[in-house]
Amino acid sequence: MEVENRYVAVRHHVEGSPSEDDFEVKSAPVRWTPESGEVLVRNLYLSVDPYQLNRMKLHNASHRTVDPVVPGERIDATGAGEVVASACAEYEVGDVVAGLLAWEEYTLFRPGPAALIGKVDASSGFPLSYHVGVLGTSGMTAYGGFFEVGKPQRGEKVFVSAASGSVGSLVGQFAKLAGCYVVGCAGTQAKVDMLKDKLGFDDAFNYREEPDLKSALKKYFPEGIDINFENVGGEMLDAALANMNTYGRVAACGAISQYTDPERPAMPDMGEVIYRRITIRGFFAYDFIAKFQDYVAIIGDWIREGKIQVVEDVADGLESIPSAFAALFRGKNVGKKLVKLA
């Protein structure tokens, strides 16, 4: 069986803010045979995430953990799809799977632990897109980062930067379920309103309207910050550190301000870290892969009980991936960014 497979590739290494012109849609045949031991998946939803930009750079610290993207070649990404051919008894035609696929119409994989893919429980009743976001790596990142790294205690004060994104929007809701006071920041008033009115944040603010971030956080946290769930880095991280309580914890999830501006300072104020005895821990979604099914069960129950609101931003068609990806760095997305294929 052979199918013509269209996929999105970068034309060259991307060092600054990405644009649609950095990408191209290519095509190549994918061949599956009954003797191959492989599974062929027709992709239905694909995830679009900011961290992918670091993989597209010529040199980046992320390459120690995830494979760099090679110009002209397929780009791995999480997603969900339907099995259309299988040479493995574990998978049958018609099975729905979610996990590590690629920005392409068809993905061929060989089952095993390294595949990072598995069948979706059809009885769960959730939309398939949820298994790419809230019940996928976004949920794993948010839950593991907040509960395992942040280690919240009831009554603690939590600040979430980039709080309207796929991970931040979940962290704020998890913080409320843990009995914490939570404030988030975002880049538009509409996003701020969503954080407060739909997602239940205690408060939120538009960082673009704050000339002094340290003073802004002092206003929202007069008693200091216990947990900073950091998605931005740079000046935002410095402002949070200046307002943290003694023995505060920073769950360093992302640093999107630095992804497009290598000159932006990455080093936090070490004086604040030392004298406030702050713990800063970076982490990656797959740090928590051993507990993934436990997380999914807990988050799934919260969704069914109406305790968690899911926010998705869905574009249509493989051709929309470049514009959807570039929009992440212009503040144009809300919640989990996905692309739905035909």
Side-chain angles (χ1 to χ4, degrees):
M1 178 180 182
E2 184 173 287
V3 294
E4 193 65 21
N5 183 39
R6 295 192 308 149
Y7 62 96
V8 174
V10 290
R11 299 177 186 274
H12 47 74
H13 292 291
V14 183
E15 301 299 338
S17 296
S19 73
E20 291 86 337
D21 294 338
D22 293 321
F23 299 87
E24 59 182 334
V25 177
K26 303 181 73 175
S27 182
V30 171
R31 181 171 177 77
W32 170 90
T33 64
E35 301 80 22
S36 66
E38 295 175 318
V39 178
L40 182 64
V41 177
R42 181 170 66 90
N43 297 333
L44 301 174
Y45 281 95
L46 297 172
S47 179
V48 180
D49 300 289
Y51 85 92
Q52 295 278 40
L53 181 60
N54 290 329
R55 297 182 60 213
M56 297 172 189
K57 299 178 187 297
L58 182 59
H59 301 289
N60 189 265
S62 70
H63 299 173
R64 299 188 185 101
T65 303
V66 292
D67 292 334
V69 170
V70 177
E73 296 189 6
R74 62 196 291 278
I75 299 172
D76 292 343
T78 55
E82 180 183 5
V83 173
V84 294
S86 176
C88 171
E90 183 181 352
Y91 294 91
E92 297 180 355
V93 172
D95 283 346
V96 176
V97 299
L100 190 61
L101 301 173
W103 284 353
E104 59 189 357
E105 292 178 323
Y106 291 89
T107 296
L108 194 66
F109 77 93
R110 185 178 297 277
L116 295 176
I117 192 168
K119 287 192 283 189
V120 170
D121 180 4
S123 66
S124 69
F126 294 120
L128 181 57
S129 59
Y130 283 19
H131 295 278
V132 185
V134 63
L135 300 177
T137 52
S138 295
M140 182 164 61
T141 302
Y143 193 98
F146 183 63
F147 288 105
E148 302 285 346
V149 179
K151 299 185 183 302
Q153 300 294 317
R154 181 169 293 275
E156 287 192 314
K157 312 299 189 294
V158 179
F159 172 56
V160 184
S161 59
S164 64
S166 63
V167 174
S169 61
L170 295 173
V171 170
Q173 296 182 80
F174 294 167
K176 290 306 299 176
L177 290 172
C180 297
Y181 170 83
V182 59
V183 176
C185 72
T188 69
Q189 189 57 46
K191 292 180 180 180
V192 168
D193 292 342
M194 180 194 72
L195 294 178
K196 294 190 293 185
D197 299 339
K198 181 174 181 177
L199 304 186
F201 283 59
D202 292 290
D203 218 330
F205 64 93
N206 183 347
Y207 69 88
R208 299 181 191 275
E209 297 179 351
E210 298 290 348
D212 185 338
L213 290 173
K214 291 182 181 179
S215 297
L217 287 178
K218 181 65 175 178
K219 177 175 64 177
Y220 289 101
F221 293 96
E223 298 178 1
I225 300 169
D226 297 301
I227 301 172
N228 172 33
F229 197 97
E230 187 58 53
N231 293 304
V232 176
E235 296 173 0
M236 189 68 73
L237 174 58
D238 278 343
L241 292 176
N243 283 277
M244 292 196 73
N245 290 326
T246 305
Y247 300 111
R249 290 89 72 199
V250 177
C253 178
I256 195 169
S257 69
Q258 297 164 212
Y259 296 173
T260 58
D261 185 0
E263 301 303 318
R264 192 178 289 265
M267 178 63 71
D269 185 335
M270 292 305 295
E272 298 285 8
V273 175
I274 293 167
Y275 293 108
R276 295 177 189 268
R277 284 82 111 193
I278 295 169
T279 299
I280 302 178
R281 178 182 158 189
F283 64 94
F284 188 64
Y286 292 106
D287 292 347
F288 313 112
I289 191 68
K291 298 182 178 180
F292 176 63
Q293 294 301 330
D294 295 335
Y295 293 175
V296 167
I298 294 169
I299 297 170
D301 285 343
W302 284 342
I303 296 172
R304 292 187 185 93
E305 294 165 5
K307 295 178 179 179
I308 292 293
Q309 301 299 314
V310 179
V311 181
E312 296 180 328
D313 186 352
V314 183
D316 289 313
L318 187 77
E319 297 85 353
S320 70
I321 288 178
S323 59
F325 183 70
L328 291 175
F329 301 91
R330 302 169 186 160
K332 300 297 184 182
N333 71 297
V334 179
K336 179 64 180 178
K337 188 66 183 180
L338 299 164
V339 169
K340 181 180 180 180
L341 304 188

